[in-house]
Amino acid sequence: MHVKKLRICLLGVAALMMWTGAASADWALNMTRGVTPVSNEIYHLHMLILWVVTIIGIGVFSVMIWSIYHHRKSRGAVPAKFHHSTTAEITWTVIPILILVVMAIPATKTLIKMEQTGDTEITVKITGYQWKWRYDYLNEGIGFFSSLDEKSSKASQRGSNIDPRTVDHYLLNVDHPLVLPVNRKIRLITTGKDVIHSWWVPALGWKRDAIPGFINDNWVELEKPGIYRGQCAELCGMGHGFMPIVLKAVPEKEYLAWVEETKKAEAEAASSSDKEWSADDLKAKGEEVYKSTCAVCHQPTGKGIPGTIPALDGSAIVNGPPADHISRVLHGKNVMPAFGGQLSDVDIAAVITYERNSWGNHTGDVIQPRDVKAAR
């Protein structure tokens, strides 16, 4: 009986230790170490300065507590009567200045290193859109948009009845991640297309604002393969929370294979814009584009958000002349962004065909990519 109770107690203690370990991992208070040389330098700099201020704090509060205890009124302490001490004033001015100078030396070295973007082997231009990211590999001549993944998008819709806790990496996953090789110095250029965004992946140790009309840059050298996640760190509009970042670090060979595969896919997509598409193929592709691009605002049902986002179901634009519909998608209006620079001719033709033949809309119109190309 006693052995059984002992086993139960030991199992309880083990479970508590496991739970405590998991809880402490979830509630870690320290900085992320990161996976780049700069992020590691920032971490060690943080720890150095943390110990400096901790020692100062312990020293100052120890003296204060000792002084309060030993010079209390109940012990008959009589306060000294003086109004000025040049020595004390010089001491408490010079010592903090020396401490700040000593801390500033490694901090300045790290800041200078963060800005040294020379000798990079790969350059990637990052452009923020409402609400997605565009990645252009300037050396390889490829580029693509990265949007919130379909599962997160579905769960985030009003009335979806999907528990977000059942979705892996809810609001932190994308359809097309940024792929970069490890052990290569890479320059990342950030800018914005519409409003101010901010590209932030904590594992890299820094973030950069993406401002329309301006170019900010930084560099990264990933030390180990893995998936690293981040988000837009600037309030960029109602879709701000649906603008995640996923960086996939891979070995050199895998990266080169991915580049070739992406080039081949882009060539096939370019050639497909000149062919005649069937209505069924356009609607099938249009549904995919709608779910990844339009459903966040207009909702999967096409009903929009009353008072904020107009409905597409029964819309005068959707059921009106096709040229007006194409123009609205290409150029946008009011809060709706222009998708002419974000989607290909095929994507726009497909999503317009889908919208004009879905829900309560039955125009029967089939928009071909050449129609969109002519309207650009």
Side-chain angles (χ1 to χ4, degrees), residues 259-309:
V259 168
E260 292 304 315
E261 183 181 344
T262 304
K263 287 182 177 180
K264 183 179 179 181
E266 287 191 356
E268 292 175 355
S271 63
S272 66
S273 63
D274 296 325
K275 75 175 186 179
E276 186 83 8
W277 286 66
S278 69
D280 290 339
D281 288 343
L282 282 169
K283 285 188 284 187
K285 183 172 182 59
E287 185 176 9
E288 296 177 2
V289 176
Y290 183 85
K291 287 178 179 178
S292 65
T293 305
C294 314
V296 171
C297 294
H298 291 290
Q299 305 297 299
T301 59
K303 298 295 184 182
I305 302 175
T308 306
I309 303 297

Side-chain angles (χ1 to χ4, degrees), residues 25 44-45 52 88 106 111 153 186 193 228 244 276 283 308 336 365:
H44 293 306
L45 182 63
V52 170
L111 287 172
S153 180
I186 303 162
K193 186 66 176 180
Y228 309 109
E276 186 83 8
K283 285 188 284 187
T308 306
M336 177 179 172
D365 295 329

Side-chain angles (χ1 to χ4, degrees), residues 176-198:
H176 302 296
L178 172 65
V179 181
L180 296 175
V182 297
N183 302 320
R184 296 279 295 275
K185 189 174 182 180
I186 303 162
R187 185 186 183 201
L188 299 178
I189 300 173
T190 55
T191 187
K193 186 66 176 180
D194 35 45
V195 299
I196 297 177
H197 303 276
S198 188

